[in-house]
Amino acid sequence: MTVTQVKQQIDAMSDEDRFLAAAYLEHLSNEKDGGYRMNLAERMQRMDAGKKVSLEQLERLHLALEREGM
């Protein structure tokens, strides 16, 4: 398949399918990015060490940001 054919296929997609295709392409890019993978591993280690946010904390933060108009 040529780049032109790929573009035509993308142009013919629904917005939802285009969104999913873009997410998939980003996933492929991240999968091969050593820096991204290292950053992700460090984040997971911090979470495993207990540095994470509970659902209740996240909900409070969300409500506070909504009140501020964000």
Side-chain angles (χ1 to χ4, degrees), residues 20-58:
L20 293 172
Y24 178 68
L25 290 172
E26 184 173 352
H27 163 74
L28 290 178
S29 177
N30 289 338
E31 195 174 60
K32 295 177 182 173
D33 182 345
Y36 175 85
R37 294 178 67 182
M38 184 182 297
N39 185 308
L40 185 59
E42 289 171 359
R43 289 179 180 189
M44 294 302 292
Q45 287 175 349
R46 287 195 305 267
M47 286 179 63
D48 290 343
K51 295 183 179 179
K52 49 189 161 187
V53 178
S54 70
L55 178 59
E56 292 79 19
Q57 291 171 313
L58 185 60

PDB file of all heavy atoms in Angstrom, residues 20-58:
ATOM      1  N   LEU A  20      -8.870   6.341  16.778  1.00  0.00           N
ATOM      2  CA  LEU A  20      -8.265   5.064  17.170  1.00  0.00           C
ATOM      3  C   LEU A  20      -6.992   4.779  16.372  1.00  0.00           C
ATOM      4  O   LEU A  20      -6.015   4.258  16.914  1.00  0.00           O
ATOM      5  CB  LEU A  20      -9.276   3.931  16.989  1.00  0.00           C
ATOM      6  CG  LEU A  20     -10.477   3.986  17.933  1.00  0.00           C
ATOM      7  CD1 LEU A  20     -11.512   2.929  17.540  1.00  0.00           C
ATOM      8  CD2 LEU A  20     -10.056   3.810  19.374  1.00  0.00           C
ATOM      9  N   ALA A  21      -6.991   5.128  15.098  1.00  0.00           N
ATOM     10  CA  ALA A  21      -5.799   4.928  14.269  1.00  0.00           C
ATOM     11  C   ALA A  21      -4.650   5.805  14.771  1.00  0.00           C
ATOM     12  O   ALA A  21      -3.498   5.355  14.857  1.00  0.00           O
ATOM     13  CB  ALA A  21      -6.113   5.230  12.802  1.00  0.00           C
ATOM     14  N   ALA A  22      -4.962   7.044  15.123  1.00  0.00           N
ATOM     15  CA  ALA A  22      -3.929   7.943  15.643  1.00  0.00           C
ATOM     16  C   ALA A  22      -3.373   7.416  16.964  1.00  0.00           C
ATOM     17  O   ALA A  22      -2.156   7.461  17.196  1.00  0.00           O
ATOM     18  CB  ALA A  22      -4.504   9.346  15.824  1.00  0.00           C
ATOM     19  N   ALA A  23      -4.242   6.922  17.827  1.00  0.00           N
ATOM     20  CA  ALA A  23      -3.794   6.357  19.105  1.00  0.00           C
ATOM     21  C   ALA A  23      -2.897   5.141  18.866  1.00  0.00           C
ATOM     22  O   ALA A  23      -1.888   4.959  19.555  1.00  0.00           O
ATOM     23  CB  ALA A  23      -5.000   5.979  19.958  1.00  0.00           C
ATOM     24  N   TYR A  24      -3.250   4.335  17.888  1.00  0.00           N
ATOM     25  CA  TYR A  24      -2.441   3.149  17.570  1.00  0.00           C
ATOM     26  C   TYR A  24      -1.063   3.561  17.049  1.00  0.00           C
ATOM     27  O   TYR A  24      -0.042   2.988  17.449  1.00  0.00           O
ATOM     28  CB  TYR A  24      -3.161   2.259  16.560  1.00  0.00           C
ATOM     29  CG  TYR A  24      -2.364   1.054  16.166  1.00  0.00           C
ATOM     30  CD1 TYR A  24      -2.114   0.038  17.083  1.00  0.00           C
ATOM     31  CD2 TYR A  24      -1.840   0.926  14.889  1.00  0.00           C
ATOM     32  CE1 TYR A  24      -1.363  -1.078  16.733  1.00  0.00           C
ATOM     33  CE2 TYR A  24      -1.092  -0.188  14.538  1.00  0.00           C
ATOM     34  CZ  TYR A  24      -0.853  -1.184  15.462  1.00  0.00           C
ATOM     35  OH  TYR A  24      -0.106  -2.275  15.112  1.00  0.00           O
ATOM     36  N   LEU A  25      -1.021   4.553  16.184  1.00  0.00           N
ATOM     37  CA  LEU A  25       0.264   5.018  15.661  1.00  0.00           C
ATOM     38  C   LEU A  25       1.135   5.587  16.781  1.00  0.00           C
ATOM     39  O   LEU A  25       2.350   5.363  16.815  1.00  0.00           O
ATOM     40  CB  LEU A  25       0.047   6.055  14.562  1.00  0.00           C
ATOM     41  CG  LEU A  25      -0.533   5.516  13.257  1.00  0.00           C
ATOM     42  CD1 LEU A  25      -0.879   6.659  12.320  1.00  0.00           C
ATOM     43  CD2 LEU A  25       0.424   4.527  12.609  1.00  0.00           C
ATOM     44  N   GLU A  26       0.516   6.305  17.704  1.00  0.00           N
ATOM     45  CA  GLU A  26       1.271   6.832  18.847  1.00  0.00           C
ATOM     46  C   GLU A  26       1.798   5.683  19.705  1.00  0.00           C
ATOM     47  O   GLU A  26       2.934   5.715  20.174  1.00  0.00           O
ATOM     48  CB  GLU A  26       0.404   7.768  19.678  1.00  0.00           C
ATOM     49  CG  GLU A  26       1.169   8.419  20.810  1.00  0.00           C
ATOM     50  CD  GLU A  26       0.372   9.472  21.546  1.00  0.00           C
ATOM     51  OE1 GLU A  26      -0.735   9.824  21.108  1.00  0.00           O
ATOM     52  OE2 GLU A  26       0.872   9.937  22.578  1.00  0.00           O
ATOM     53  N   HIS A  27       0.975   4.666  19.912  1.00  0.00           N
ATOM     54  CA  HIS A  27       1.403   3.486  20.673  1.00  0.00           C
ATOM     55  C   HIS A  27       2.625   2.847  20.019  1.00  0.00           C
ATOM     56  O   HIS A  27       3.598   2.498  20.707  1.00  0.00           O
ATOM     57  CB  HIS A  27       0.250   2.476  20.758  1.00  0.00           C
ATOM     58  CG  HIS A  27       0.682   1.106  21.155  1.00  0.00           C
ATOM     59  ND1 HIS A  27       1.053   0.781  22.439  1.00  0.00           N
ATOM     60  CD2 HIS A  27       0.840  -0.024  20.423  1.00  0.00           C
ATOM     61  CE1 HIS A  27       1.401  -0.493  22.479  1.00  0.00           C
ATOM     62  NE2 HIS A  27       1.272  -0.996  21.268  1.00  0.00           N
ATOM     63  N   LEU A  28       2.593   2.675  18.705  1.00  0.00           N
ATOM     64  CA  LEU A  28       3.730   2.078  18.006  1.00  0.00           C
ATOM     65  C   LEU A  28       4.987   2.922  18.180  1.00  0.00           C
ATOM     66  O   LEU A  28       6.084   2.391  18.395  1.00  0.00           O
ATOM     67  CB  LEU A  28       3.414   1.915  16.513  1.00  0.00           C
ATOM     68  CG  LEU A  28       2.388   0.861  16.144  1.00  0.00           C
ATOM     69  CD1 LEU A  28       2.158   0.875  14.628  1.00  0.00           C
ATOM     70  CD2 LEU A  28       2.801  -0.523  16.613  1.00  0.00           C
ATOM     71  N   SER A  29       4.827   4.231  18.111  1.00  0.00           N
ATOM     72  CA  SER A  29       5.959   5.132  18.278  1.00  0.00           C
ATOM     73  C   SER A  29       6.530   5.029  19.691  1.00  0.00           C
ATOM     74  O   SER A  29       7.746   4.938  19.875  1.00  0.00           O
ATOM     75  CB  SER A  29       5.524   6.566  17.987  1.00  0.00           C
ATOM     76  OG  SER A  29       6.579   7.460  18.215  1.00  0.00           O
ATOM     77  N   ASN A  30       5.652   5.029  20.689  1.00  0.00           N
ATOM     78  CA  ASN A  30       6.092   4.942  22.085  1.00  0.00           C
ATOM     79  C   ASN A  30       6.762   3.615  22.386  1.00  0.00           C
ATOM     80  O   ASN A  30       7.714   3.548  23.166  1.00  0.00           O
ATOM     81  CB  ASN A  30       4.912   5.145  23.042  1.00  0.00           C
ATOM     82  CG  ASN A  30       4.419   6.571  23.047  1.00  0.00           C
ATOM     83  OD1 ASN A  30       5.142   7.494  22.686  1.00  0.00           O
ATOM     84  ND2 ASN A  30       3.183   6.754  23.453  1.00  0.00           N
ATOM     85  N   GLU A  31       6.263   2.557  21.769  1.00  0.00           N
ATOM     86  CA  GLU A  31       6.791   1.222  22.002  1.00  0.00           C
ATOM     87  C   GLU A  31       8.261   1.118  21.608  1.00  0.00           C
ATOM     88  O   GLU A  31       9.032   0.371  22.220  1.00  0.00           O
ATOM     89  CB  GLU A  31       5.963   0.221  21.200  1.00  0.00           C
ATOM     90  CG  GLU A  31       6.152  -1.210  21.590  1.00  0.00           C
ATOM     91  CD  GLU A  31       5.182  -2.104  20.833  1.00  0.00           C
ATOM     92  OE1 GLU A  31       5.228  -2.115  19.582  1.00  0.00           O
ATOM     93  OE2 GLU A  31       4.375  -2.771  21.491  1.00  0.00           O
ATOM     94  N   LYS A  32       8.670   1.883  20.628  1.00  0.00           N
ATOM     95  CA  LYS A  32      10.046   1.829  20.130  1.00  0.00           C
ATOM     96  C   LYS A  32      10.930   2.923  20.718  1.00  0.00           C
ATOM     97  O   LYS A  32      12.121   2.967  20.435  1.00  0.00           O
ATOM     98  CB  LYS A  32      10.047   1.925  18.614  1.00  0.00           C
ATOM     99  CG  LYS A  32       9.377   0.730  17.965  1.00  0.00           C
ATOM    100  CD  LYS A  32       9.317   0.854  16.474  1.00  0.00           C
ATOM    101  CE  LYS A  32       8.571  -0.371  15.928  1.00  0.00           C
ATOM    102  NZ  LYS A  32       8.322  -0.276  14.520  1.00  0.00           N
ATOM    103  N   ASP A  33      10.354   3.796  21.545  1.00  0.00           N
ATOM    104  CA  ASP A  33      11.078   4.927  22.122  1.00  0.00           C
ATOM    105  C   ASP A  33      11.646   4.525  23.485  1.00  0.00           C
ATOM    106  O   ASP A  33      10.908   4.390  24.464  1.00  0.00           O
ATOM    107  CB  ASP A  33      10.121   6.110  22.261  1.00  0.00           C
ATOM    108  CG  ASP A  33      10.783   7.357  22.805  1.00  0.00           C
ATOM    109  OD1 ASP A  33      11.904   7.278  23.338  1.00  0.00           O
ATOM    110  OD2 ASP A  33      10.170   8.437  22.711  1.00  0.00           O
ATOM    111  N   GLY A  34      12.962   4.338  23.545  1.00  0.00           N
ATOM    112  CA  GLY A  34      13.609   3.913  24.786  1.00  0.00           C
ATOM    113  C   GLY A  34      13.396   4.891  25.925  1.00  0.00           C
ATOM    114  O   GLY A  34      13.201   4.485  27.073  1.00  0.00           O
ATOM    115  N   GLY A  35      13.427   6.186  25.634  1.00  0.00           N
ATOM    116  CA  GLY A  35      13.216   7.204  26.667  1.00  0.00           C
ATOM    117  C   GLY A  35      11.818   7.128  27.248  1.00  0.00           C
ATOM    118  O   GLY A  35      11.624   7.250  28.467  1.00  0.00           O
ATOM    119  N   TYR A  36      10.837   6.922  26.385  1.00  0.00           N
ATOM    120  CA  TYR A  36       9.450   6.796  26.849  1.00  0.00           C
ATOM    121  C   TYR A  36       9.302   5.569  27.742  1.00  0.00           C
ATOM    122  O   TYR A  36       8.690   5.630  28.808  1.00  0.00           O
ATOM    123  CB  TYR A  36       8.500   6.693  25.651  1.00  0.00           C
ATOM    124  CG  TYR A  36       7.059   6.445  26.046  1.00  0.00           C
ATOM    125  CD1 TYR A  36       6.236   7.503  26.380  1.00  0.00           C
ATOM    126  CD2 TYR A  36       6.548   5.149  26.102  1.00  0.00           C
ATOM    127  CE1 TYR A  36       4.913   7.291  26.762  1.00  0.00           C
ATOM    128  CE2 TYR A  36       5.236   4.923  26.477  1.00  0.00           C
ATOM    129  CZ  TYR A  36       4.422   5.987  26.804  1.00  0.00           C
ATOM    130  OH  TYR A  36       3.125   5.764  27.184  1.00  0.00           O
ATOM    131  N   ARG A  37       9.874   4.466  27.305  1.00  0.00           N
ATOM    132  CA  ARG A  37       9.767   3.226  28.082  1.00  0.00           C
ATOM    133  C   ARG A  37      10.460   3.358  29.428  1.00  0.00           C
ATOM    134  O   ARG A  37       9.979   2.852  30.437  1.00  0.00           O
ATOM    135  CB  ARG A  37      10.326   2.067  27.274  1.00  0.00           C
ATOM    136  CG  ARG A  37       9.454   1.787  26.032  1.00  0.00           C
ATOM    137  CD  ARG A  37       9.990   0.697  25.201  1.00  0.00           C
ATOM    138  NE  ARG A  37       9.878  -0.546  25.963  1.00  0.00           N
ATOM    139  CZ  ARG A  37      10.299  -1.702  25.522  1.00  0.00           C
ATOM    140  NH1 ARG A  37      10.855  -1.798  24.342  1.00  0.00           N
ATOM    141  NH2 ARG A  37      10.172  -2.789  26.251  1.00  0.00           N
ATOM    142  N   MET A  38      11.614   4.044  29.468  1.00  0.00           N
ATOM    143  CA  MET A  38      12.318   4.246  30.726  1.00  0.00           C
ATOM    144  C   MET A  38      11.485   5.123  31.661  1.00  0.00           C
ATOM    145  O   MET A  38      11.359   4.835  32.855  1.00  0.00           O
ATOM    146  CB  MET A  38      13.683   4.893  30.483  1.00  0.00           C
ATOM    147  CG  MET A  38      14.511   5.032  31.753  1.00  0.00           C
ATOM    148  SD  MET A  38      16.110   5.835  31.483  1.00  0.00           S
ATOM    149  CE  MET A  38      16.874   4.663  30.387  1.00  0.00           C
ATOM    150  N   ASN A  39      10.904   6.179  31.120  1.00  0.00           N
ATOM    151  CA  ASN A  39      10.057   7.072  31.907  1.00  0.00           C
ATOM    152  C   ASN A  39       8.867   6.309  32.470  1.00  0.00           C
ATOM    153  O   ASN A  39       8.506   6.467  33.645  1.00  0.00           O
ATOM    154  CB  ASN A  39       9.594   8.247  31.035  1.00  0.00           C
ATOM    155  CG  ASN A  39       8.820   9.285  31.799  1.00  0.00           C
ATOM    156  OD1 ASN A  39       7.865   8.971  32.500  1.00  0.00           O
ATOM    157  ND2 ASN A  39       9.219  10.527  31.640  1.00  0.00           N
ATOM    158  N   LEU A  40       8.256   5.477  31.663  1.00  0.00           N
ATOM    159  CA  LEU A  40       7.112   4.684  32.096  1.00  0.00           C
ATOM    160  C   LEU A  40       7.524   3.714  33.210  1.00  0.00           C
ATOM    161  O   LEU A  40       6.813   3.567  34.211  1.00  0.00           O
ATOM    162  CB  LEU A  40       6.519   3.924  30.912  1.00  0.00           C
ATOM    163  CG  LEU A  40       5.248   3.137  31.167  1.00  0.00           C
ATOM    164  CD1 LEU A  40       4.129   4.051  31.660  1.00  0.00           C
ATOM    165  CD2 LEU A  40       4.811   2.425  29.898  1.00  0.00           C
ATOM    166  N   ALA A  41       8.683   3.086  33.069  1.00  0.00           N
ATOM    167  CA  ALA A  41       9.167   2.158  34.095  1.00  0.00           C
ATOM    168  C   ALA A  41       9.402   2.887  35.413  1.00  0.00           C
ATOM    169  O   ALA A  41       9.062   2.380  36.490  1.00  0.00           O
ATOM    170  CB  ALA A  41      10.449   1.476  33.619  1.00  0.00           C
ATOM    171  N   GLU A  42       9.966   4.099  35.343  1.00  0.00           N
ATOM    172  CA  GLU A  42      10.198   4.883  36.564  1.00  0.00           C
ATOM    173  C   GLU A  42       8.872   5.255  37.226  1.00  0.00           C
ATOM    174  O   GLU A  42       8.754   5.194  38.458  1.00  0.00           O
ATOM    175  CB  GLU A  42      10.996   6.147  36.233  1.00  0.00           C
ATOM    176  CG  GLU A  42      12.439   5.865  35.864  1.00  0.00           C
ATOM    177  CD  GLU A  42      13.160   7.088  35.320  1.00  0.00           C
ATOM    178  OE1 GLU A  42      12.543   8.174  35.205  1.00  0.00           O
ATOM    179  OE2 GLU A  42      14.357   6.950  34.992  1.00  0.00           O
ATOM    180  N   ARG A  43       7.890   5.621  36.437  1.00  0.00           N
ATOM    181  CA  ARG A  43       6.573   5.952  36.997  1.00  0.00           C
ATOM    182  C   ARG A  43       5.954   4.734  37.678  1.00  0.00           C
ATOM    183  O   ARG A  43       5.359   4.852  38.742  1.00  0.00           O
ATOM    184  CB  ARG A  43       5.645   6.455  35.899  1.00  0.00           C
ATOM    185  CG  ARG A  43       5.999   7.816  35.381  1.00  0.00           C
ATOM    186  CD  ARG A  43       5.051   8.207  34.286  1.00  0.00           C
ATOM    187  NE  ARG A  43       5.372   9.511  33.764  1.00  0.00           N
ATOM    188  CZ  ARG A  43       4.613  10.175  32.912  1.00  0.00           C
ATOM    189  NH1 ARG A  43       3.488   9.632  32.475  1.00  0.00           N
ATOM    190  NH2 ARG A  43       4.968  11.348  32.470  1.00  0.00           N
ATOM    191  N   MET A  44       6.086   3.586  37.060  1.00  0.00           N
ATOM    192  CA  MET A  44       5.526   2.370  37.642  1.00  0.00           C
ATOM    193  C   MET A  44       6.225   2.033  38.959  1.00  0.00           C
ATOM    194  O   MET A  44       5.578   1.613  39.925  1.00  0.00           O
ATOM    195  CB  MET A  44       5.641   1.207  36.661  1.00  0.00           C
ATOM    196  CG  MET A  44       4.792   1.366  35.405  1.00  0.00           C
ATOM    197  SD  MET A  44       3.033   1.581  35.734  1.00  0.00           S
ATOM    198  CE  MET A  44       2.617  -0.018  36.373  1.00  0.00           C
ATOM    199  N   GLN A  45       7.541   2.241  39.032  1.00  0.00           N
ATOM    200  CA  GLN A  45       8.276   1.986  40.271  1.00  0.00           C
ATOM    201  C   GLN A  45       7.790   2.918  41.379  1.00  0.00           C
ATOM    202  O   GLN A  45       7.642   2.491  42.529  1.00  0.00           O
ATOM    203  CB  GLN A  45       9.780   2.153  40.048  1.00  0.00           C
ATOM    204  CG  GLN A  45      10.399   1.029  39.254  1.00  0.00           C
ATOM    205  CD  GLN A  45      11.863   1.266  38.935  1.00  0.00           C
ATOM    206  OE1 GLN A  45      12.392   2.358  39.135  1.00  0.00           O
ATOM    207  NE2 GLN A  45      12.524   0.238  38.428  1.00  0.00           N
ATOM    208  N   ARG A  46       7.562   4.196  41.045  1.00  0.00           N
ATOM    209  CA  ARG A  46       7.055   5.142  42.055  1.00  0.00           C
ATOM    210  C   ARG A  46       5.680   4.704  42.542  1.00  0.00           C
ATOM    211  O   ARG A  46       5.385   4.774  43.737  1.00  0.00           O
ATOM    212  CB  ARG A  46       7.006   6.556  41.488  1.00  0.00           C
ATOM    213  CG  ARG A  46       8.380   7.203  41.342  1.00  0.00           C
ATOM    214  CD  ARG A  46       8.305   8.705  41.141  1.00  0.00           C
ATOM    215  NE  ARG A  46       7.480   9.127  40.023  1.00  0.00           N
ATOM    216  CZ  ARG A  46       7.932   9.356  38.791  1.00  0.00           C
ATOM    217  NH1 ARG A  46       9.213   9.188  38.509  1.00  0.00           N
ATOM    218  NH2 ARG A  46       7.118   9.749  37.842  1.00  0.00           N
ATOM    219  N   MET A  47       4.836   4.248  41.626  1.00  0.00           N
ATOM    220  CA  MET A  47       3.506   3.776  42.027  1.00  0.00           C
ATOM    221  C   MET A  47       3.618   2.534  42.906  1.00  0.00           C
ATOM    222  O   MET A  47       2.930   2.420  43.920  1.00  0.00           O
ATOM    223  CB  MET A  47       2.651   3.480  40.798  1.00  0.00           C
ATOM    224  CG  MET A  47       2.159   4.729  40.091  1.00  0.00           C
ATOM    225  SD  MET A  47       1.165   4.351  38.634  1.00  0.00           S
ATOM    226  CE  MET A  47      -0.209   3.504  39.362  1.00  0.00           C
ATOM    227  N   ASP A  48       4.505   1.619  42.530  1.00  0.00           N
ATOM    228  CA  ASP A  48       4.703   0.410  43.330  1.00  0.00           C
ATOM    229  C   ASP A  48       5.211   0.747  44.726  1.00  0.00           C
ATOM    230  O   ASP A  48       4.945   0.022  45.684  1.00  0.00           O
ATOM    231  CB  ASP A  48       5.667  -0.560  42.635  1.00  0.00           C
ATOM    232  CG  ASP A  48       5.073  -1.206  41.396  1.00  0.00           C
ATOM    233  OD1 ASP A  48       3.831  -1.174  41.240  1.00  0.00           O
ATOM    234  OD2 ASP A  48       5.851  -1.738  40.578  1.00  0.00           O
ATOM    235  N   ALA A  49       5.942   1.855  44.829  1.00  0.00           N
ATOM    236  CA  ALA A  49       6.470   2.293  46.122  1.00  0.00           C
ATOM    237  C   ALA A  49       5.416   3.030  46.943  1.00  0.00           C
ATOM    238  O   ALA A  49       5.698   3.502  48.035  1.00  0.00           O
ATOM    239  CB  ALA A  49       7.705   3.175  45.913  1.00  0.00           C
ATOM    240  N   GLY A  50       4.210   3.157  46.410  1.00  0.00           N
ATOM    241  CA  GLY A  50       3.123   3.778  47.163  1.00  0.00           C
ATOM    242  C   GLY A  50       2.841   5.219  46.803  1.00  0.00           C
ATOM    243  O   GLY A  50       1.956   5.842  47.391  1.00  0.00           O
ATOM    244  N   LYS A  51       3.560   5.779  45.866  1.00  0.00           N
ATOM    245  CA  LYS A  51       3.344   7.172  45.468  1.00  0.00           C
ATOM    246  C   LYS A  51       2.304   7.216  44.359  1.00  0.00           C
ATOM    247  O   LYS A  51       2.626   7.276  43.178  1.00  0.00           O
ATOM    248  CB  LYS A  51       4.656   7.810  45.022  1.00  0.00           C
ATOM    249  CG  LYS A  51       5.654   7.911  46.138  1.00  0.00           C
ATOM    250  CD  LYS A  51       6.906   8.610  45.701  1.00  0.00           C
ATOM    251  CE  LYS A  51       7.864   8.689  46.881  1.00  0.00           C
ATOM    252  NZ  LYS A  51       9.099   9.341  46.525  1.00  0.00           N
ATOM    253  N   LYS A  52       1.061   7.143  44.784  1.00  0.00           N
ATOM    254  CA  LYS A  52      -0.033   7.202  43.823  1.00  0.00           C
ATOM    255  C   LYS A  52      -1.202   7.927  44.451  1.00  0.00           C
ATOM    256  O   LYS A  52      -1.195   8.250  45.626  1.00  0.00           O
ATOM    257  CB  LYS A  52      -0.428   5.809  43.350  1.00  0.00           C
ATOM    258  CG  LYS A  52      -0.641   4.785  44.430  1.00  0.00           C
ATOM    259  CD  LYS A  52      -0.814   3.418  43.815  1.00  0.00           C
ATOM    260  CE  LYS A  52      -0.568   2.340  44.852  1.00  0.00           C
ATOM    261  NZ  LYS A  52      -0.572   1.023  44.280  1.00  0.00           N
ATOM    262  N   VAL A  53      -2.210   8.180  43.657  1.00  0.00           N
ATOM    263  CA  VAL A  53      -3.377   8.950  44.081  1.00  0.00           C
ATOM    264  C   VAL A  53      -4.568   8.000  44.171  1.00  0.00           C
ATOM    265  O   VAL A  53      -4.800   7.199  43.262  1.00  0.00           O
ATOM    266  CB  VAL A  53      -3.669  10.072  43.062  1.00  0.00           C
ATOM    267  CG1 VAL A  53      -4.899  10.860  43.444  1.00  0.00           C
ATOM    268  CG2 VAL A  53      -2.461  10.983  42.926  1.00  0.00           C
ATOM    269  N   SER A  54      -5.317   8.125  45.260  1.00  0.00           N
ATOM    270  CA  SER A  54      -6.512   7.294  45.396  1.00  0.00           C
ATOM    271  C   SER A  54      -7.629   7.864  44.528  1.00  0.00           C
ATOM    272  O   SER A  54      -7.585   9.025  44.101  1.00  0.00           O
ATOM    273  CB  SER A  54      -6.972   7.258  46.851  1.00  0.00           C
ATOM    274  OG  SER A  54      -7.498   8.523  47.229  1.00  0.00           O
ATOM    275  N   LEU A  55      -8.647   7.076  44.291  1.00  0.00           N
ATOM    276  CA  LEU A  55      -9.796   7.529  43.524  1.00  0.00           C
ATOM    277  C   LEU A  55     -10.445   8.727  44.212  1.00  0.00           C
ATOM    278  O   LEU A  55     -10.826   9.693  43.546  1.00  0.00           O
ATOM    279  CB  LEU A  55     -10.807   6.391  43.344  1.00  0.00           C
ATOM    280  CG  LEU A  55     -12.090   6.750  42.593  1.00  0.00           C
ATOM    281  CD1 LEU A  55     -11.771   7.256  41.184  1.00  0.00           C
ATOM    282  CD2 LEU A  55     -13.022   5.557  42.542  1.00  0.00           C
ATOM    283  N   GLU A  56     -10.560   8.673  45.522  1.00  0.00           N
ATOM    284  CA  GLU A  56     -11.173   9.780  46.259  1.00  0.00           C
ATOM    285  C   GLU A  56     -10.367  11.069  46.097  1.00  0.00           C
ATOM    286  O   GLU A  56     -10.936  12.145  45.915  1.00  0.00           O
ATOM    287  CB  GLU A  56     -11.309   9.422  47.749  1.00  0.00           C
ATOM    288  CG  GLU A  56     -12.301   8.318  48.025  1.00  0.00           C
ATOM    289  CD  GLU A  56     -11.744   6.920  47.739  1.00  0.00           C
ATOM    290  OE1 GLU A  56     -10.505   6.743  47.668  1.00  0.00           O
ATOM    291  OE2 GLU A  56     -12.560   5.999  47.565  1.00  0.00           O
ATOM    292  N   GLN A  57      -9.042  10.975  46.157  1.00  0.00           N
ATOM    293  CA  GLN A  57      -8.194  12.151  45.962  1.00  0.00           C
ATOM    294  C   GLN A  57      -8.366  12.709  44.555  1.00  0.00           C
ATOM    295  O   GLN A  57      -8.447  13.925  44.365  1.00  0.00           O
ATOM    296  CB  GLN A  57      -6.723  11.795  46.197  1.00  0.00           C
ATOM    297  CG  GLN A  57      -6.373  11.486  47.631  1.00  0.00           C
ATOM    298  CD  GLN A  57      -4.970  10.927  47.753  1.00  0.00           C
ATOM    299  OE1 GLN A  57      -4.583  10.025  47.009  1.00  0.00           O
ATOM    300  NE2 GLN A  57      -4.208  11.459  48.692  1.00  0.00           N
ATOM    301  N   LEU A  58      -8.426  11.837  43.591  1.00  0.00           N
ATOM    302  CA  LEU A  58      -8.597  12.254  42.206  1.00  0.00           C
ATOM    303  C   LEU A  58      -9.946  12.937  42.001  1.00  0.00           C
ATOM    304  O   LEU A  58     -10.035  13.963  41.325  1.00  0.00           O
ATOM    305  CB  LEU A  58      -8.457  11.053  41.278  1.00  0.00           C
ATOM    306  CG  LEU A  58      -8.491  11.335  39.791  1.00  0.00           C
ATOM    307  CD1 LEU A  58      -7.356  12.277  39.401  1.00  0.00           C
ATOM    308  CD2 LEU A  58      -8.388  10.045  39.010  1.00  0.00           C
TER     309      LEU A  58
END
